Amino acid sequence: MTDFAFERTVDVRYQDHDTMGHVNNAVYVTYMEEARFDYLIECIGLDEDELNMVVAHLDVDFRRPVRYAREVTVAVSVTDVGGSSFTMAYEVRDDEGVAVEGETVQVTLDPETGDTRPVPEEWRDAIERVEN
C-alpha cells in the first residue's frame, strides 16, 4: 500500500454524474489530473510553464462507484523516478473510503524540441524531500 504524500479535495459537480447517479468513470481521470497538477505546483515547486511532460501511461481500477458526493479527496504520491519518466499513484476517496485507485507515468519533455529529456535533478531532489 502506498503512503500518500499529498491530498487534494476536489469538488464533484452535478455534471460529473451519469444517468445512474454515479460519478462517470472518465471524470475520475480529471480528478487525478487536478491532484497531479497541484502536487507538482505545491510540493515540487514548479511553475505552470515548467510542466513540460505528457502522460504516457494511465491505469485506473474502479473499486466502487461514488454516488452524489459533494467532494472527493484525491491522494497522490510519486512512487518511482526513472531516467526520463516518473510514476504517480492515486486514490480517490469519498466518505465511504477508496473508490478508485490509479497510476500514471509522466514522460518529461524538452520544451524546445518536444523530445524526451531526463527528469531534472531539481525535480528529483524535491520529490525526494516530499516523499521521504
Side-chain angles (χ1 to χ4, degrees):
M1 179 170 172
T2 300
D3 290 327
F4 292 93
F6 182 76
E7 290 186 356
R8 171 61 63 223
T9 300
V10 178
D11 291 334
V12 176
R13 302 162 299 182
Y14 175 78
Q15 67 197 26
D16 292 349
H17 297 89
D18 61 20
T19 57
M20 302 275 301
H22 307 121
V23 170
N24 183 279
N25 61 342
V27 175
Y28 293 106
V29 175
T30 300
Y31 297 162
M32 291 165 41
E33 177 183 42
E34 289 183 38
R36 177 174 59 251
F37 177 85
D38 288 345
Y39 177 99
L40 294 169
I41 299 297
E42 294 177 28
C43 294
I44 307 306
L46 300 179
D47 291 326
E48 290 181 30
D49 61 347
E50 294 178 298
L51 298 176
N52 298 308
M53 66 189 77
V54 293
V55 173
H57 177 78
L58 168 68
D59 188 28
V60 182
D61 292 317
F62 301 97
R63 302 296 178 213
R64 59 174 186 74
V66 171
R67 292 186 171 98
Y68 300 113
R70 293 185 186 273
E71 62 187 23
V72 293
T73 299
V74 183
V76 60
S77 268
V78 173
T79 58
D80 185 55
V81 180
S84 62
S85 66
F86 58 99
T87 303
M88 299 180 89
Y90 308 83
E91 282 184 355
V92 180
R93 308 171 185 144
D94 64 4
D95 292 339
E96 297 177 32
V98 177
V100 171
E101 295 173 315
E103 182 178 89
T104 57
V105 176
Q106 292 70 219
V107 174
T108 52
L109 302 175
D110 182 292
E112 301 296 320
T113 66
D115 295 333
T116 60
R117 69 169 178 166
V119 176
E121 285 302 317
E122 58 271 16
W123 294 20
R124 292 173 185 277
D125 294 343
I127 291 168
E128 181 73 22
R129 282 191 303 275
V130 170
E131 297 294 337
N132 292 316

